[in-house]
Structures are given as structure tokens and as C-alpha cells.
Amino acid sequence: MDEAIAEAYAAGFLGKNILGSGFDLDVTVHRGAGAYICGEETSLINSLEGKRGGRGSSPPSRLRWGPSGCRRS
């Protein structure tokens, strides 16, 4: 990743005044403290903060019984 970013800077695709457009874009790679769990934004934030990338608390579970009294699967 670092090598690809360095190549993009060298080619003028990243940094100041990209390809003479007046647009600036810098990229920084953050090494995570734990695994990023796909779909869990709290894990990514924790990892960026240097914490373990575990999943956050779960939302409340769905009802186990439907409106007609039938059990939901």
C-alpha cells in the first residue's frame, strides 16, 4: 500500500495541485490495532483510535412473536 501511494504521489495523482487542477489530496495509511470487521463502523473507528477492532454492542433483538401470536423464526 505504501509503495502504491508513493507511486501515485510521484506521478502527480496525489499531493498538491493534482495534475495542475488546483485540487489537493493527501493520503495517510493507518495501521490498525485489530481486525476490521466488515460492516461494523465502530470496529473501524476503534481500530483507527488504536483500540481493539472488536464489534460494538448489538442493537435490541427483534420480537420473537409476531402480531398474530405466531412464533417468528
Side-chain angles (χ1 to χ4, degrees):
M1 183 70 78
D2 292 330
E3 186 176 331
I5 291 171
E7 288 176 12
Y9 272 104
F13 298 129
L14 292 174
K16 304 283 184 202
N17 194 24
I18 296 172
L19 300 175
S21 67
F23 183 76
D24 302 338
L25 178 65
D26 288 315
V27 175
T28 304
V29 175
H30 291 275
R31 306 262 185 257
Y36 169 62
I37 300 170
C38 185
E40 262 299 314
E41 63 276 359
T42 54
S43 295
L44 178 59
I45 292 169
N46 284 342
S47 183
L48 288 172
E49 292 175 345
K51 302 174 187 170
R52 185 168 179 253
R55 70 183 197 102
S57 59
S58 298
S61 61
R62 294 179 289 193
L63 294 174
R64 295 180 188 247
W65 300 93
S68 62
C70 297
R71 185 168 175 91
R72 295 177 56 131
S73 54

Short mmCIF file of all heavy atoms in Angstrom, two decimals:
data_model
loop_
_atom_site.label_atom_id
_atom_site.label_comp_id
_atom_site.label_asym_id
_atom_site.label_seq_id
_atom_site.Cartn_x
_atom_site.Cartn_y
_atom_site.Cartn_z
N MET A 1 0.83 -1.17 0.00
CA MET A 1 0.00 0.00 0.00
C MET A 1 0.88 1.24 0.00
O MET A 1 0.63 2.17 -0.77
CB MET A 1 -0.91 -0.03 1.22
CG MET A 1 -1.89 1.10 1.29
SD MET A 1 -3.18 1.07 0.07
CE MET A 1 -4.26 -0.13 0.73
N ASP A 2 1.88 1.26 0.88
CA ASP A 2 2.77 2.43 0.94
C ASP A 2 3.47 2.68 -0.39
O ASP A 2 3.62 3.83 -0.82
CB ASP A 2 3.81 2.24 2.05
CG ASP A 2 3.19 2.26 3.44
OD1 ASP A 2 2.16 2.94 3.62
OD2 ASP A 2 3.74 1.61 4.34
N GLU A 3 3.88 1.60 -1.06
CA GLU A 3 4.57 1.74 -2.35
C GLU A 3 3.63 2.32 -3.41
O GLU A 3 4.01 3.20 -4.19
CB GLU A 3 5.10 0.38 -2.81
CG GLU A 3 5.94 0.45 -4.05
CD GLU A 3 6.53 -0.91 -4.43
OE1 GLU A 3 6.75 -1.74 -3.54
OE2 GLU A 3 6.73 -1.10 -5.64
N ALA A 4 2.39 1.85 -3.43
CA ALA A 4 1.41 2.35 -4.41
C ALA A 4 1.11 3.82 -4.16
O ALA A 4 0.98 4.61 -5.12
CB ALA A 4 0.13 1.52 -4.33
N ILE A 5 1.01 4.21 -2.90
CA ILE A 5 0.75 5.62 -2.58
C ILE A 5 1.94 6.48 -2.99
O ILE A 5 1.77 7.56 -3.56
CB ILE A 5 0.42 5.77 -1.08
CG1 ILE A 5 -0.94 5.13 -0.79
CG2 ILE A 5 0.43 7.24 -0.66
CD1 ILE A 5 -1.29 5.04 0.67
N ALA A 6 3.16 6.00 -2.74
CA ALA A 6 4.36 6.74 -3.15
C ALA A 6 4.39 6.91 -4.67
O ALA A 6 4.75 7.99 -5.18
CB ALA A 6 5.61 6.02 -2.66
N GLU A 7 4.02 5.87 -5.41
CA GLU A 7 3.97 5.96 -6.87
C GLU A 7 2.94 6.98 -7.33
O GLU A 7 3.17 7.74 -8.29
CB GLU A 7 3.67 4.60 -7.48
CG GLU A 7 4.80 3.60 -7.38
CD GLU A 7 4.42 2.22 -7.91
OE1 GLU A 7 3.36 2.09 -8.58
OE2 GLU A 7 5.18 1.28 -7.67
N ALA A 8 1.79 7.02 -6.66
CA ALA A 8 0.74 7.98 -7.02
C ALA A 8 1.21 9.42 -6.76
O ALA A 8 0.93 10.31 -7.55
CB ALA A 8 -0.54 7.68 -6.24
N TYR A 9 1.92 9.63 -5.66
CA TYR A 9 2.49 10.96 -5.40
C TYR A 9 3.50 11.32 -6.48
O TYR A 9 3.49 12.43 -7.00
CB TYR A 9 3.16 11.00 -4.02
CG TYR A 9 2.23 11.36 -2.88
CD1 TYR A 9 1.76 10.39 -2.02
CD2 TYR A 9 1.85 12.69 -2.66
CE1 TYR A 9 0.91 10.72 -0.96
CE2 TYR A 9 1.00 13.04 -1.62
CZ TYR A 9 0.54 12.04 -0.77
OH TYR A 9 -0.29 12.38 0.26
N ALA A 10 4.39 10.38 -6.82
CA ALA A 10 5.43 10.63 -7.83
C ALA A 10 4.83 10.94 -9.19
O ALA A 10 5.36 11.76 -9.95
CB ALA A 10 6.37 9.43 -7.92
N ALA A 11 3.69 10.31 -9.52
CA ALA A 11 3.05 10.53 -10.82
C ALA A 11 2.17 11.78 -10.84
O ALA A 11 1.64 12.16 -11.88
CB ALA A 11 2.22 9.31 -11.19
N GLY A 12 1.99 12.41 -9.66
CA GLY A 12 1.17 13.62 -9.60
C GLY A 12 -0.30 13.36 -9.39
O GLY A 12 -1.12 14.27 -9.54
N PHE A 13 -0.67 12.12 -9.05
CA PHE A 13 -2.08 11.79 -8.81
C PHE A 13 -2.50 12.10 -7.37
O PHE A 13 -3.69 12.11 -7.06
CB PHE A 13 -2.37 10.32 -9.10
CG PHE A 13 -2.12 9.95 -10.54
CD1 PHE A 13 -1.34 8.86 -10.86
CD2 PHE A 13 -2.67 10.68 -11.57
CE1 PHE A 13 -1.11 8.50 -12.18
CE2 PHE A 13 -2.44 10.35 -12.90
CZ PHE A 13 -1.66 9.25 -13.20
N LEU A 14 -1.55 12.31 -6.48
CA LEU A 14 -1.81 12.69 -5.09
C LEU A 14 -0.90 13.85 -4.73
O LEU A 14 0.14 14.05 -5.34
CB LEU A 14 -1.53 11.51 -4.14
CG LEU A 14 -2.46 10.32 -4.22
CD1 LEU A 14 -1.95 9.20 -3.32
CD2 LEU A 14 -3.87 10.69 -3.84
N GLY A 15 -1.28 14.62 -3.71
CA GLY A 15 -0.46 15.73 -3.23
C GLY A 15 -1.09 17.07 -3.56
O GLY A 15 -2.31 17.19 -3.69
N LYS A 16 -0.25 18.07 -3.71
CA LYS A 16 -0.71 19.44 -4.00
C LYS A 16 -0.92 19.63 -5.50
O LYS A 16 -0.16 19.12 -6.31
CB LYS A 16 0.34 20.44 -3.52
CG LYS A 16 0.68 20.32 -2.05
CD LYS A 16 -0.38 20.91 -1.19
CE LYS A 16 0.05 20.85 0.27
NZ LYS A 16 -1.06 20.92 1.16
N ASN A 17 -1.97 20.34 -5.84
CA ASN A 17 -2.23 20.74 -7.22
C ASN A 17 -2.17 19.54 -8.18
O ASN A 17 -1.40 19.51 -9.14
CB ASN A 17 -1.24 21.84 -7.65
CG ASN A 17 -1.68 22.53 -8.92
OD1 ASN A 17 -2.85 22.55 -9.27
ND2 ASN A 17 -0.72 23.10 -9.63
N ILE A 18 -3.02 18.56 -7.94
CA ILE A 18 -3.01 17.31 -8.70
C ILE A 18 -3.21 17.58 -10.19
O ILE A 18 -4.21 18.18 -10.60
CB ILE A 18 -4.10 16.35 -8.19
CG1 ILE A 18 -3.79 15.95 -6.75
CG2 ILE A 18 -4.23 15.12 -9.08
CD1 ILE A 18 -4.88 15.17 -6.08
N LEU A 19 -2.22 17.16 -10.98
CA LEU A 19 -2.23 17.30 -12.44
C LEU A 19 -2.62 18.71 -12.89
O LEU A 19 -3.31 18.91 -13.88
CB LEU A 19 -3.18 16.26 -13.07
CG LEU A 19 -2.83 14.79 -12.79
CD1 LEU A 19 -3.90 13.88 -13.37
CD2 LEU A 19 -1.46 14.44 -13.36
N GLY A 20 -2.20 19.73 -12.10
CA GLY A 20 -2.46 21.12 -12.45
C GLY A 20 -3.90 21.56 -12.25
O GLY A 20 -4.30 22.61 -12.74
N SER A 21 -4.68 20.78 -11.52
CA SER A 21 -6.11 21.07 -11.35
C SER A 21 -6.41 22.07 -10.24
O SER A 21 -7.53 22.56 -10.13
CB SER A 21 -6.87 19.78 -11.04
OG SER A 21 -6.49 19.28 -9.76
N GLY A 22 -5.43 22.32 -9.37
CA GLY A 22 -5.69 23.17 -8.21
C GLY A 22 -6.28 22.39 -7.04
O GLY A 22 -6.56 22.95 -5.99
N PHE A 23 -6.49 21.10 -7.22
CA PHE A 23 -7.06 20.24 -6.18
C PHE A 23 -5.94 19.53 -5.44
O PHE A 23 -5.01 19.01 -6.06
CB PHE A 23 -8.00 19.20 -6.83
CG PHE A 23 -8.71 18.32 -5.84
CD1 PHE A 23 -9.78 18.78 -5.11
CD2 PHE A 23 -8.28 17.01 -5.65
CE1 PHE A 23 -10.42 17.97 -4.20
CE2 PHE A 23 -8.91 16.19 -4.74
CZ PHE A 23 -9.99 16.66 -4.01
N ASP A 24 -6.02 19.53 -4.11
CA ASP A 24 -5.03 18.87 -3.27
C ASP A 24 -5.65 17.65 -2.59
O ASP A 24 -6.80 17.72 -2.13
CB ASP A 24 -4.52 19.81 -2.17
CG ASP A 24 -3.91 21.09 -2.71
OD1 ASP A 24 -3.49 21.09 -3.88
OD2 ASP A 24 -3.84 22.06 -1.95
N LEU A 25 -4.91 16.56 -2.53
CA LEU A 25 -5.37 15.35 -1.83
C LEU A 25 -4.17 14.59 -1.28
O LEU A 25 -3.29 14.19 -2.04
CB LEU A 25 -6.17 14.43 -2.76
CG LEU A 25 -6.65 13.12 -2.13
CD1 LEU A 25 -7.66 13.39 -1.02
CD2 LEU A 25 -7.24 12.20 -3.17
N ASP A 26 -4.14 14.44 0.05
CA ASP A 26 -3.10 13.65 0.70
C ASP A 26 -3.74 12.39 1.26
O ASP A 26 -4.88 12.40 1.71
CB ASP A 26 -2.44 14.45 1.83
CG ASP A 26 -1.56 15.57 1.29
OD1 ASP A 26 -0.79 15.30 0.35
OD2 ASP A 26 -1.63 16.70 1.81
N VAL A 27 -2.99 11.30 1.24
CA VAL A 27 -3.44 10.01 1.74
C VAL A 27 -2.50 9.54 2.84
O VAL A 27 -1.28 9.60 2.67
CB VAL A 27 -3.50 8.95 0.61
CG1 VAL A 27 -3.85 7.59 1.17
CG2 VAL A 27 -4.49 9.37 -0.45
N THR A 28 -3.08 9.09 3.95
CA THR A 28 -2.30 8.56 5.06
C THR A 28 -2.79 7.16 5.37
O THR A 28 -4.00 6.91 5.44
CB THR A 28 -2.47 9.44 6.32
OG1 THR A 28 -2.10 10.78 5.99
CG2 THR A 28 -1.61 8.95 7.45
N VAL A 29 -1.86 6.22 5.55
CA VAL A 29 -2.22 4.85 5.91
C VAL A 29 -2.11 4.71 7.42
O VAL A 29 -1.09 5.06 8.01
CB VAL A 29 -1.28 3.83 5.22
CG1 VAL A 29 -1.59 2.42 5.70
CG2 VAL A 29 -1.42 3.93 3.72
N HIS A 30 -3.19 4.25 8.05
CA HIS A 30 -3.19 3.99 9.49
C HIS A 30 -3.16 2.48 9.70
O HIS A 30 -4.01 1.76 9.19
CB HIS A 30 -4.46 4.56 10.15
CG HIS A 30 -4.50 6.04 10.18
ND1 HIS A 30 -3.90 6.78 11.18
CD2 HIS A 30 -5.05 6.93 9.33
CE1 HIS A 30 -4.10 8.06 10.95
NE2 HIS A 30 -4.79 8.18 9.82
N ARG A 31 -2.19 2.02 10.42
CA ARG A 31 -2.11 0.61 10.75
C ARG A 31 -3.05 0.35 11.92
O ARG A 31 -3.00 1.04 12.93
CB ARG A 31 -0.68 0.24 11.17
CG ARG A 31 0.35 0.63 10.14
CD ARG A 31 0.73 -0.54 9.27
NE ARG A 31 1.79 -0.18 8.36
CZ ARG A 31 1.62 0.07 7.07
NH1 ARG A 31 0.42 0.03 6.54
NH2 ARG A 31 2.63 0.38 6.30
N GLY A 32 -3.93 -0.64 11.76
CA GLY A 32 -4.93 -0.92 12.78
C GLY A 32 -4.38 -1.74 13.94
O GLY A 32 -3.42 -2.48 13.79
N ALA A 33 -5.04 -1.59 15.09
CA ALA A 33 -4.65 -2.34 16.28
C ALA A 33 -5.32 -3.71 16.30
O ALA A 33 -4.95 -4.58 17.06
CB ALA A 33 -5.01 -1.56 17.53
N GLY A 34 -6.33 -3.89 15.48
CA GLY A 34 -7.06 -5.15 15.44
C GLY A 34 -7.71 -5.30 14.08
O GLY A 34 -7.54 -4.48 13.21
N ALA A 35 -8.45 -6.36 13.90
CA ALA A 35 -9.11 -6.63 12.62
C ALA A 35 -10.32 -5.74 12.44
O ALA A 35 -11.05 -5.46 13.38
CB ALA A 35 -9.53 -8.09 12.55
N TYR A 36 -10.52 -5.29 11.22
CA TYR A 36 -11.74 -4.56 10.87
C TYR A 36 -12.79 -5.58 10.48
O TYR A 36 -12.57 -6.40 9.61
CB TYR A 36 -11.47 -3.58 9.73
CG TYR A 36 -12.73 -2.99 9.15
CD1 TYR A 36 -13.56 -2.20 9.93
CD2 TYR A 36 -13.10 -3.24 7.85
CE1 TYR A 36 -14.72 -1.66 9.42
CE2 TYR A 36 -14.25 -2.70 7.31
CZ TYR A 36 -15.06 -1.91 8.10
OH TYR A 36 -16.20 -1.39 7.59
N ILE A 37 -13.91 -5.53 11.16
CA ILE A 37 -15.00 -6.46 10.88
C ILE A 37 -15.91 -5.79 9.87
O ILE A 37 -16.46 -4.72 10.14
CB ILE A 37 -15.76 -6.83 12.16
CG1 ILE A 37 -14.80 -7.47 13.16
CG2 ILE A 37 -16.93 -7.74 11.85
CD1 ILE A 37 -15.38 -7.65 14.53
N CYS A 38 -16.05 -6.40 8.71
CA CYS A 38 -16.82 -5.82 7.61
C CYS A 38 -18.22 -5.44 8.06
O CYS A 38 -18.92 -6.22 8.68
CB CYS A 38 -16.89 -6.82 6.46
SG CYS A 38 -17.68 -6.15 5.00
N GLY A 39 -18.63 -4.22 7.77
CA GLY A 39 -19.97 -3.77 8.11
C GLY A 39 -20.08 -3.17 9.50
O GLY A 39 -21.14 -2.69 9.88
N GLU A 40 -19.03 -3.18 10.27
CA GLU A 40 -19.05 -2.64 11.62
C GLU A 40 -18.24 -1.36 11.67
O GLU A 40 -17.02 -1.40 11.83
CB GLU A 40 -18.46 -3.65 12.60
CG GLU A 40 -19.43 -4.49 13.37
CD GLU A 40 -20.37 -3.69 14.24
OE1 GLU A 40 -19.93 -2.78 14.95
OE2 GLU A 40 -21.56 -3.98 14.19
N GLU A 41 -18.88 -0.22 11.53
CA GLU A 41 -18.15 1.04 11.52
C GLU A 41 -17.49 1.32 12.87
O GLU A 41 -16.43 1.95 12.93
CB GLU A 41 -19.04 2.21 11.09
CG GLU A 41 -20.20 2.51 12.00
CD GLU A 41 -21.43 1.66 11.74
OE1 GLU A 41 -21.44 0.82 10.84
OE2 GLU A 41 -22.42 1.84 12.46
N THR A 42 -18.09 0.84 13.98
CA THR A 42 -17.47 1.06 15.28
C THR A 42 -16.13 0.34 15.37
O THR A 42 -15.22 0.81 16.03
CB THR A 42 -18.39 0.60 16.42
OG1 THR A 42 -18.78 -0.75 16.20
CG2 THR A 42 -19.63 1.45 16.52
N SER A 43 -16.00 -0.81 14.72
CA SER A 43 -14.73 -1.53 14.73
C SER A 43 -13.66 -0.74 14.01
O SER A 43 -12.51 -0.67 14.46
CB SER A 43 -14.88 -2.88 14.04
OG SER A 43 -15.74 -3.70 14.77
N LEU A 44 -13.99 -0.14 12.90
CA LEU A 44 -13.03 0.66 12.15
C LEU A 44 -12.61 1.87 12.97
O LEU A 44 -11.41 2.18 13.05
CB LEU A 44 -13.63 1.10 10.82
CG LEU A 44 -12.73 1.99 9.96
CD1 LEU A 44 -11.42 1.29 9.64
CD2 LEU A 44 -13.44 2.37 8.68
N ILE A 45 -13.55 2.54 13.60
CA ILE A 45 -13.22 3.72 14.42
C ILE A 45 -12.32 3.31 15.58
O ILE A 45 -11.32 3.96 15.86
CB ILE A 45 -14.51 4.41 14.91
CG1 ILE A 45 -15.24 5.04 13.72
CG2 ILE A 45 -14.19 5.46 15.97
CD1 ILE A 45 -16.64 5.51 14.03
N ASN A 46 -12.67 2.21 16.26
CA ASN A 46 -11.83 1.72 17.36
C ASN A 46 -10.42 1.43 16.88
O ASN A 46 -9.44 1.77 17.54
CB ASN A 46 -12.43 0.46 18.00
CG ASN A 46 -13.61 0.76 18.88
OD1 ASN A 46 -13.81 1.90 19.29
ND2 ASN A 46 -14.40 -0.25 19.17
N SER A 47 -10.31 0.78 15.74
CA SER A 47 -9.01 0.43 15.19
C SER A 47 -8.19 1.68 14.88
O SER A 47 -6.99 1.75 15.17
CB SER A 47 -9.18 -0.42 13.93
OG SER A 47 -7.94 -0.83 13.44
N LEU A 48 -8.82 2.71 14.29
CA LEU A 48 -8.12 3.95 13.99
C LEU A 48 -7.66 4.67 15.25
O LEU A 48 -6.67 5.40 15.24
CB LEU A 48 -9.01 4.88 13.16
CG LEU A 48 -9.25 4.45 11.72
CD1 LEU A 48 -10.29 5.35 11.07
CD2 LEU A 48 -7.96 4.46 10.93
N GLU A 49 -8.39 4.46 16.36
CA GLU A 49 -8.03 5.08 17.63
C GLU A 49 -6.99 4.27 18.39
O GLU A 49 -6.63 4.60 19.51
CB GLU A 49 -9.27 5.27 18.49
CG GLU A 49 -10.23 6.31 17.94
CD GLU A 49 -11.52 6.42 18.73
OE1 GLU A 49 -11.81 5.51 19.54
OE2 GLU A 49 -12.23 7.42 18.54
N GLY A 50 -6.52 3.16 17.81
CA GLY A 50 -5.52 2.34 18.46
C GLY A 50 -6.09 1.31 19.41
O GLY A 50 -5.37 0.65 20.14
N LYS A 51 -7.41 1.17 19.41
CA LYS A 51 -8.07 0.19 20.27
C LYS A 51 -8.29 -1.10 19.50
O LYS A 51 -8.12 -1.15 18.29
CB LYS A 51 -9.42 0.73 20.75
CG LYS A 51 -9.33 2.03 21.52
CD LYS A 51 -10.71 2.56 21.81
CE LYS A 51 -10.64 3.95 22.43
NZ LYS A 51 -11.98 4.56 22.51
N ARG A 52 -8.70 -2.14 20.19
CA ARG A 52 -9.01 -3.40 19.54
C ARG A 52 -10.22 -3.23 18.63
O ARG A 52 -11.19 -2.59 19.01
CB ARG A 52 -9.29 -4.47 20.60
CG ARG A 52 -9.49 -5.83 20.03
CD ARG A 52 -9.46 -6.88 21.14
NE ARG A 52 -9.67 -8.18 20.54
CZ ARG A 52 -10.81 -8.86 20.66
NH1 ARG A 52 -11.79 -8.40 21.39
NH2 ARG A 52 -10.93 -10.03 20.07
N GLY A 53 -10.17 -3.82 17.44
CA GLY A 53 -11.23 -3.63 16.45
C GLY A 53 -12.41 -4.56 16.60
O GLY A 53 -12.95 -5.01 15.60
N GLY A 54 -12.82 -4.88 17.79
CA GLY A 54 -13.97 -5.76 18.01
C GLY A 54 -15.27 -5.05 17.73
O GLY A 54 -15.34 -3.83 17.65
N ARG A 55 -16.33 -5.82 17.57
CA ARG A 55 -17.62 -5.21 17.25
C ARG A 55 -18.21 -4.53 18.48
O ARG A 55 -17.92 -4.90 19.62
CB ARG A 55 -18.59 -6.24 16.68
CG ARG A 55 -19.08 -7.25 17.66
CD ARG A 55 -19.99 -8.25 16.94
NE ARG A 55 -20.76 -8.96 17.93
CZ ARG A 55 -22.03 -8.71 18.21
NH1 ARG A 55 -22.67 -7.81 17.52
NH2 ARG A 55 -22.67 -9.36 19.14
N GLY A 56 -19.04 -3.54 18.25
CA GLY A 56 -19.69 -2.80 19.32
C GLY A 56 -20.88 -3.57 19.87
O GLY A 56 -21.13 -4.72 19.51
N SER A 57 -21.62 -2.92 20.73
CA SER A 57 -22.80 -3.57 21.28
C SER A 57 -23.86 -3.76 20.20
O SER A 57 -23.96 -2.97 19.28
CB SER A 57 -23.38 -2.75 22.43
OG SER A 57 -23.72 -1.46 21.97
N SER A 58 -24.62 -4.81 20.33
CA SER A 58 -25.64 -5.13 19.32
C SER A 58 -26.91 -4.34 19.57
O SER A 58 -27.22 -3.99 20.71
CB SER A 58 -25.98 -6.62 19.38
OG SER A 58 -24.85 -7.39 19.10
N PRO A 59 -27.65 -4.06 18.52
CA PRO A 59 -28.94 -3.39 18.71
C PRO A 59 -29.92 -4.36 19.38
O PRO A 59 -29.67 -5.56 19.41
CB PRO A 59 -29.38 -3.06 17.27
CG PRO A 59 -28.65 -4.03 16.42
CD PRO A 59 -27.36 -4.33 17.12
N PRO A 60 -31.02 -3.84 19.90
CA PRO A 60 -32.01 -4.74 20.54
C PRO A 60 -32.50 -5.81 19.56
O PRO A 60 -32.63 -5.55 18.37
CB PRO A 60 -33.15 -3.80 20.92
CG PRO A 60 -32.59 -2.43 20.87
CD PRO A 60 -31.43 -2.47 19.94
N SER A 61 -32.73 -7.00 20.07
CA SER A 61 -33.18 -8.09 19.20
C SER A 61 -34.62 -7.87 18.76
O SER A 61 -35.39 -7.16 19.41
CB SER A 61 -33.06 -9.42 19.93
OG SER A 61 -33.88 -9.42 21.07
N ARG A 62 -34.97 -8.50 17.65
CA ARG A 62 -36.34 -8.39 17.13
C ARG A 62 -37.30 -9.18 18.00
O ARG A 62 -36.90 -10.03 18.78
CB ARG A 62 -36.39 -8.93 15.70
CG ARG A 62 -35.59 -8.08 14.74
CD ARG A 62 -35.67 -8.66 13.40
NE ARG A 62 -34.87 -9.90 13.42
CZ ARG A 62 -34.51 -10.56 12.36
NH1 ARG A 62 -34.87 -10.15 11.19
NH2 ARG A 62 -33.77 -11.64 12.45
N LEU A 63 -38.54 -8.89 17.82
CA LEU A 63 -39.57 -9.63 18.55
C LEU A 63 -39.51 -11.11 18.20
O LEU A 63 -39.27 -11.48 17.06
CB LEU A 63 -40.96 -9.09 18.20
CG LEU A 63 -41.26 -7.67 18.64
CD1 LEU A 63 -42.60 -7.23 18.08
CD2 LEU A 63 -41.24 -7.56 20.14
N ARG A 64 -39.75 -11.95 19.17
CA ARG A 64 -39.75 -13.39 18.92
C ARG A 64 -41.13 -13.90 18.52
O ARG A 64 -41.26 -15.00 18.03
CB ARG A 64 -39.25 -14.14 20.15
CG ARG A 64 -37.81 -13.81 20.45
CD ARG A 64 -37.34 -14.54 21.67
NE ARG A 64 -36.01 -14.07 22.02
CZ ARG A 64 -34.93 -14.80 21.95
NH1 ARG A 64 -35.00 -16.04 21.56
NH2 ARG A 64 -33.78 -14.31 22.28
N TRP A 65 -42.13 -13.09 18.73
CA TRP A 65 -43.51 -13.49 18.40
C TRP A 65 -44.11 -12.44 17.48
O TRP A 65 -43.95 -11.25 17.69
CB TRP A 65 -44.36 -13.63 19.66
CG TRP A 65 -43.82 -14.66 20.59
CD1 TRP A 65 -42.97 -14.46 21.63
CD2 TRP A 65 -44.06 -16.06 20.54
NE1 TRP A 65 -42.66 -15.64 22.24
CE2 TRP A 65 -43.32 -16.64 21.60
CE3 TRP A 65 -44.81 -16.88 19.72
CZ2 TRP A 65 -43.33 -18.00 21.84
CZ3 TRP A 65 -44.82 -18.23 19.97
CH2 TRP A 65 -44.09 -18.78 21.01
N GLY A 66 -44.79 -12.87 16.46
CA GLY A 66 -45.43 -11.97 15.51
C GLY A 66 -46.73 -11.40 16.08
O GLY A 66 -47.20 -11.79 17.13
N PRO A 67 -47.36 -10.48 15.36
CA PRO A 67 -48.58 -9.84 15.84
C PRO A 67 -49.74 -10.80 16.00
O PRO A 67 -50.63 -10.58 16.81
CB PRO A 67 -48.88 -8.76 14.79
CG PRO A 67 -48.09 -9.15 13.59
CD PRO A 67 -46.93 -9.96 14.07
N SER A 68 -49.75 -11.91 15.26
CA SER A 68 -50.86 -12.86 15.37
C SER A 68 -50.56 -13.95 16.39
O SER A 68 -51.33 -14.91 16.50
CB SER A 68 -51.12 -13.50 13.99
OG SER A 68 -49.97 -14.21 13.57
N GLY A 69 -49.47 -13.81 17.16
CA GLY A 69 -49.14 -14.80 18.16
C GLY A 69 -48.31 -15.95 17.61
O GLY A 69 -47.96 -16.87 18.34
N CYS A 70 -47.98 -15.93 16.31
CA CYS A 70 -47.16 -16.99 15.72
C CYS A 70 -45.70 -16.72 16.03
O CYS A 70 -45.26 -15.58 16.07
CB CYS A 70 -47.34 -17.03 14.19
SG CYS A 70 -49.00 -17.41 13.70
N ARG A 71 -44.99 -17.78 16.27
CA ARG A 71 -43.56 -17.66 16.57
C ARG A 71 -42.79 -17.29 15.30
O ARG A 71 -42.99 -17.87 14.26
CB ARG A 71 -43.03 -18.99 17.13
CG ARG A 71 -41.58 -18.88 17.57
CD ARG A 71 -41.17 -20.09 18.36
NE ARG A 71 -39.77 -20.04 18.67
CZ ARG A 71 -39.27 -19.50 19.78
NH1 ARG A 71 -40.09 -18.97 20.65
NH2 ARG A 71 -37.97 -19.48 19.99
N ARG A 72 -41.93 -16.30 15.43
CA ARG A 72 -41.09 -15.87 14.30
C ARG A 72 -39.82 -16.69 14.28
O ARG A 72 -39.32 -17.11 15.31
CB ARG A 72 -40.75 -14.39 14.44
CG ARG A 72 -41.98 -13.52 14.35
CD ARG A 72 -41.61 -12.08 14.56
NE ARG A 72 -40.60 -11.67 13.60
CZ ARG A 72 -40.67 -10.58 12.88
NH1 ARG A 72 -41.69 -9.79 12.99
NH2 ARG A 72 -39.70 -10.27 12.05
N SER A 73 -39.29 -16.91 13.10
CA SER A 73 -38.05 -17.67 13.02
C SER A 73 -36.86 -16.75 13.03
O SER A 73 -36.92 -15.60 12.88
CB SER A 73 -38.02 -18.52 11.77
OG SER A 73 -38.26 -17.72 10.63
#
